[in-house]
Amino acid sequence: SRLRLSSRPTPVHPFPVSPSLPFHLLVKRDDQTGGPETGGNKIRKLDFLLADALRRDSDTVVTIGGIMSNHCRASACAARMVGLEPHVILRTREAEADRLHGLVGNVLFERLVGATVWTCTPGSYGRFGSAALTARVVETLRADGTAQRPYVVPVGGSNGIGSWGYVEAAAELIDQMGGHMPDHVVLATGSGGTMAGLVLGFILAEEAGVLERAPTVHAVGVCDDPEYFYNTVSSIVTEMGYVPPEGKEIMSVLRRTVKVYQGKGRGYGLSTPEELEFVRSVAVRTGLALDPVYTGKALHHFLNFVVKEEKDIFEGSTVLFWHTGGGLGLFDKVGELQRWEKEDDRNIGGHLDEVSPIRVVDMYKKP
């Protein structure tokens, strides 16, 4: 079963990020699956996950992510929409604790809907893992009587239930394109569930004869390494019940359809000046905002590294970039985007002023 919290289908249109691209670039606007509360790729997964929570008569949702987690924001808001109490665990360095009180970006929406925010350090996250941390919160809630039937949503909503949202999204794209499917689909990947669902959806369509050949999925990892993601996708599609054709191994089937690249740059949630400049330039050229953690990082790496190294593969083809949302993360990068220039400890101008000047309307002096 599934809920219908997401707005679908999301549009597809040309994406002219640069006049020198050797291929035709489209964008699939999954940033438009909802408003600022639930927009982005996570709500497609939550349609299935929260349906499962309600089926189990749960009263509370517990999930986990980084301090600026799009998933935690969408989970908290969606939980409220269906009458469940939200609890989010945010991976937070001690130096970042003030950001929980600063009401920036995703954190604002989590607190606005009254989610209980739990924190853990990156060290605890690495030592114990997300499953143990969510289990501890569940244990605490049951012990103090806060919740009787908590439901755990995994990191990113990425498991064999949530990923059905992107099997469905693959079918949606096939229907939208009307026989003119892109040759390549590009997306960011962090927890692997969106990639797993899309890849499985395209594989099933090819095996059923709906597609003559599945598009090649190019997934740019914003954390971890490619082997981790191949193994994660294999685990998720196995959990979903996929059995490869006789005589074929599941990993060989997956690797025929998906290529994973390491594109995390400085690390998860950390931006280079080049990545932020790319986000800014795309916004100026197209009017579309990418986010600094996922979409901006992924498309920057794809165009500046993958395409340059494998240009012959893409030349003359049609490439679709799957925009997974996350725009609220830009609020956390205001200082880095502006790059203030200082004089006597005063801000006298910044990088954004070069492309977006601020001028006073003078009604007393003629032009």
Side-chain angles (χ1 to χ4, degrees):
S1 63
R2 69 183 302 284
L3 301 177
R4 298 191 179 276
L5 299 175
S6 58
S7 298
R8 302 164 296 111
T10 55
V12 174
H13 60 73
F15 194 23
V17 300
S18 169
S20 60
L21 293 179
F23 49 80
H24 179 48
L25 182 63
L26 303 173
V27 60
K28 171 77 166 158
R29 298 293 302 277
D30 265 20
D31 56 317
Q32 295 185 6
T33 53
E37 305 87 356
T38 59
N41 62 324
K42 309 304 181 184
I43 193 62
R44 287 189 189 262
K45 303 177 197 178
L46 289 165
D47 273 340
F48 287 84
L49 288 160
L50 294 185
D52 187 52
L54 294 174
R55 182 182 66 82
R56 295 171 183 272
D57 197 27
S58 303
D59 56 8
T60 301
V61 167
V62 178
T63 196
I64 187 168
I67 188 169
M68 276 297 150
S69 169
N70 299 306
H71 164 69
C72 286
R73 176 257 305 159
S75 295
C77 295
R80 281 292 187 215
M81 290 175 182
V82 297
L84 302 177
E85 188 71 27
H87 288 252
V88 298
I89 308 170
L90 302 183
R91 190 173 61 248
T92 312
R93 297 182 181 88
E94 288 185 20
E96 296 175 327
D98 63 323
R99 293 161 73 191
L100 291 175
H101 303 284
L103 301 178
V104 174
N106 289 311
V107 175
L108 169 62
F109 283 86
E110 290 153 8
R111 305 198 71 196
L112 189 65
V113 299
T116 298
V117 178
W118 303 70
T119 65
C120 70
T121 64
S124 293
Y125 189 93
R127 189 176 307 115
F128 299 107
S130 62
L133 289 162
T134 52
R136 174 55 58 90
V137 169
V138 165
E139 180 185 10
T140 303
L141 294 176
R142 284 177 171 153
D144 64 18
T146 302
Q148 295 180 329
R149 297 175 301 280
Y151 183 89
V152 173
V153 173
V155 174
S158 295
N159 63 7
I161 297 174
S163 294
W164 281 108
Y166 272 88
V167 173
E168 195 176 66
E172 176 183 302
L173 179 67
I174 293 168
D175 183 61
Q176 282 179 303
M177 300 308 292
H180 300 283
M181 281 291 287
D183 304 291
H184 306 275
V185 173
V186 180
L187 74 156
T189 187
S191 55
T194 298
M195 169 174 53
L198 281 179
V199 169
L200 181 57
F202 292 143
I203 288 173
L204 292 175
E206 183 180 315
E207 290 178 357
V210 175
L211 293 176
E212 183 177 338
R213 175 73 165 88
T216 301
V217 176
H218 301 268
V220 180
V222 300
C223 57
D224 297 302
D225 59 78
E227 285 304 313
Y228 166 83
F229 286 112
Y230 285 122
N231 291 330
T232 296
V233 171
S234 176
S235 175
I236 291 174
V237 300
T238 299
E239 182 187 349
M240 296 170 81
Y242 175 68
V243 177
E246 187 174 352
K248 294 186 178 181
E249 294 184 353
I250 192 166
M251 192 61 80
S252 66
V253 173
L254 292 175
R255 286 179 182 265
R256 178 176 177 266
T257 304
V258 63
K259 295 183 178 181
V260 184
Y261 308 91
Q262 175 57 269
K264 67 180 181 181
R266 291 178 56 209
Y268 178 78
L270 303 175
S271 301
T272 65
E274 292 78 16
E275 289 167 355
L276 292 178
E277 173 59 22
F278 176 77
V279 168
R280 186 199 63 77
S281 66
V282 169
V284 170
R285 179 174 289 277
T286 70
L288 197 156
L290 302 175
D291 84 289
V293 180
Y294 291 95
T295 55
K297 190 182 285 276
L299 189 57
H300 173 266
H301 183 86
F302 177 74
L303 295 180
N304 289 281
F305 296 94
V306 177
V307 171
K308 287 184 178 179
E309 292 172 5
E310 304 179 40
K311 186 176 180 180
D312 292 346
I313 295 175
F314 302 101
E315 195 153 13
S317 68
T318 298
V319 177
L320 180 139
F321 179 66
W322 206 295
H323 191 329
T324 50
L328 289 173
L330 284 167
F331 289 95
D332 195 44
K333 299 289 184 180
V334 169
E336 293 174 72
L337 282 164
Q338 178 65 305
R339 300 207 306 262
W340 286 106
E341 297 175 10
K342 290 184 176 291
E343 184 178 279
D344 297 328
D345 293 327
R346 293 183 300 109
N347 293 329
I348 60 171
H351 186 57
L352 292 179
D353 295 322
E354 297 174 10
V355 295
S356 176
I358 299 174
R359 302 176 65 180
V360 175
V361 179
D362 190 342
M363 297 299 293
Y364 299 98
K365 181 181 178 181
K366 289 188 176 182

